Structures are given as structure tokens and as C-alpha cells.
Amino acid sequence: MLFRRTFVGVSALAAAMPASAHGPGHAMSGGRFGEAGKVARVIDVVATDNAFSLKSLQVKDRETVRFVVRNEGFAPHEFIIGTVAEHAEHRTMMRDMIERRKKGEPHSMAAMDHASGVWIEGDKTATFVWIFARAPNLEFACNIPGHYEDGMKGAITFSR
Ligand SMILES: [Cu+2]
């Protein structure tokens, strides 16, 4: 029941968001969007309800990677890069935003406005290019309420 309510809330929320809304704003660590011409590696990720096919990731400092994230689930998911602490903060913001929205209270969409990944609707694929910058405690994650807790996360480590 809880999942169902969350799912509906998040879907309604996503429907109100243009895809381009995931612009600069909610800065997180671990790098920034990179240039397509500098992609050294393509990483395919499959998202389901609620898991990522990718369990962990090793990268090089300044490596440019293209992530292709295919959502084979019904629920929307996000694939975001940041530190463990930043993800925790992002989850708090997202939970608060969804709660307020459910109650019809004023709310900020800031939790959706991040510059470190993509939002993927069910049965869709989203891609982005990322240039990594060395940071401690980095991970990729989906911060939709309950999803991170279900295991939609993985450590990102640097090989040198
Ligand atoms: Cu998710």
C-alpha cells in the first residue's frame, strides 16, 4: 500500500516536470556533465522495481563516461551521482516534497532539480555524459522514497 501511494505521488509529480527541468541547481560531488565527444566508456544500466543491474562501479579520475539507463520497471526511477551524505540530503528533500504535495501544501521542486544524473520514466531510457572528479564516499543511487532502501545504490570507487 505504501509503495502504491508513493508510486502514484511520484508519477503525478514527474508528469508535471518537463524533462529539461533536471538542469543545474542541485549540485552534488563527483564531477559534472561532460562532453559527448570525450566519452571513453559506455555503461549500460537496467533499472527495475526496485533494483539496478549495476551493483558498483570503478572509474578513473577525469574519466568521461556515457550512462545509458533503461527503466524496465513501471515506477519512475532516477540515477544520480553524489556522496553518501548528499544522497541522504536529497532523499530528505524528495520525501518532504512528496509529503507536501500529497497534502496540497506549498512545496519546492528543488529536490527534482539536480545536476548529477537523470530521471527515467517507466519503460523509457535516459542517457547522460559524466566526467568524474575524485570524491570520497561516492555512490550512484535512486532517491525516490523506499528505492534506496530497497538497494537502488552502489559504490563508485576510483582506480587511481
Ligand atoms: Cu527508483
Side-chain angles (χ1 to χ4, degrees), residues 41-114:
R41 180 157 56 128
V42 177
I43 297 175
D44 290 295
V45 183
V46 175
T48 51
D49 304 327
N50 293 326
F52 285 129
S53 58
L54 186 69
K55 301 303 179 193
S56 64
L57 179 62
Q58 190 174 67
V59 298
K60 293 172 189 154
D61 195 15
R62 297 186 196 178
E63 184 178 7
T64 298
V65 168
R66 176 185 295 281
F67 288 98
V68 179
V69 188
R70 190 164 87 250
N71 185 355
E72 294 187 349
F74 282 102
H77 294 290
E78 59 172 20
F79 183 94
I80 305 296
I81 293 164
T83 65
V84 171
E86 286 165 344
H87 282 300
E89 185 187 356
H90 187 57
R91 279 197 299 285
T92 301
M93 287 173 67
M94 191 168 274
R95 202 176 284 277
D96 180 67
M97 176 184 64
I98 289 167
E99 283 305 310
R100 284 171 176 276
R101 196 179 175 88
K102 271 195 262 180
K103 293 182 204 157
E105 294 173 4
H107 56 277
S108 163
M109 298 296 270
M112 302 286 293
D113 187 19
H114 40 62

Side-chain angles (χ1 to χ4, degrees), residues 10-33:
V10 171
S11 291
L13 193 150
M17 297 280 299
S20 60
H22 296 111
H26 193 59
M28 291 168 88
S29 304
R32 56 182 165 76
F33 285 124

Side-chain angles (χ1 to χ4, degrees), residues 50 76-78 142-144 147 152:
N50 293 326
H77 294 290
E78 59 172 20
C142 172
N143 292 305
I144 293 172
H147 295 200
M152 294 195 85

